Amino acid sequence: VTGADLEDPKIALGPLVEYEDVGQGRENEVASLVAWLRKVVRSERVKPGEITVVAADNDLSWMEFLTPAFRSQIEVVDSESIRKWPFDQISAATSISFKGLENDAIAIVGLGGLVADSVSRNQMYVAMSRARALLWVAIPSSFGDDLSEKWKLI
């Protein structure tokens, strides 16, 4: 809960943000994501339905690296499934399909598929601004070196 939720925006601090260097490749990114998801669910920081994985590059192919058992625990947000929002299980979305929605915990993947232009910055902004309490961002090694300069985030 932030100050904005209490109708006092001046005390709003925003979500806790965790950046993780996930190395190179989708397989490493997904392995780091799965470890983080298991950690936050086991620690009972959030329930599965309070977690959404947002693909900033609008590519859900990262899900191919999940085991079938883990994949079956994730609901993809699309024009049909959104009618059942909020879900009881972890959700996965593109930054486009999740625009206008939010969840307690957001994990962002797919930054390696972005280029430094206004469209990509907008996609990243949408993904990063959806978290109420916890934000986890997968930073590929090639992306992190010039994060602040290239993306003008700081």
Side-chain angles (χ1 to χ4, degrees):
V1 177
T2 68
D5 296 322
L6 301 173
E7 298 181 5
D8 189 1
K10 69 180 177 290
I11 62 169
L13 297 176
L16 172 66
V17 180
E18 298 177 32
Y19 296 97
E20 184 168 338
D21 182 345
V22 295
Q24 293 296 330
R26 282 285 176 139
E27 192 167 358
N28 289 335
E29 181 178 52
V30 172
S32 295
L33 169 66
V34 168
W36 179 80
L37 290 169
R38 287 185 171 140
K39 179 180 76 172
V40 297
V41 170
R42 281 189 189 135
S43 69
E44 299 181 5
R45 288 168 71 181
V46 291
K47 297 174 185 155
E50 299 169 337
I51 303 169
T52 300
V53 180
V54 178
D57 60 357
N58 293 309
D59 181 2
L60 294 177
S61 66
W62 62 268
M63 296 180 75
E64 297 169 10
F65 293 97
L66 298 171
T67 63
F70 202 89
R71 169 64 186 93
S72 70
Q73 299 174 45
I74 298 177
E75 179 85 26
V76 174
V77 176
D78 59 27
S79 59
E80 291 296 314
S81 66
I82 197 63
R83 296 179 184 150
K84 300 182 289 181
W85 184 263
F87 304 140
D88 292 329
Q89 59 195 53
I90 296 169
S91 55
T94 65
S95 61
I96 291 172
S97 67
F98 209 63
K99 190 171 185 175
L101 300 173
E102 58 183 21
N103 213 343
D104 288 344
I106 299 293
I108 299 176
V109 297
L111 294 182
L114 297 178
V115 295
D117 64 10
S118 62
V119 172
S120 291
R121 277 192 294 276
N122 183 51
Q123 290 172 273
M124 191 163 48
Y125 170 79
V126 168
M128 294 180 87
S129 63
R130 306 296 100 187
R132 288 188 207 114
L134 185 60
L135 175 64
W136 180 85
V137 184
I139 306 287
S141 295
S142 62
F143 190 87
D145 291 341
D146 58 353
L147 182 64
S148 63
E149 180 59 32
K150 184 175 179 181
W151 292 89
K152 297 180 178 36
L153 295 177
I154 298 175

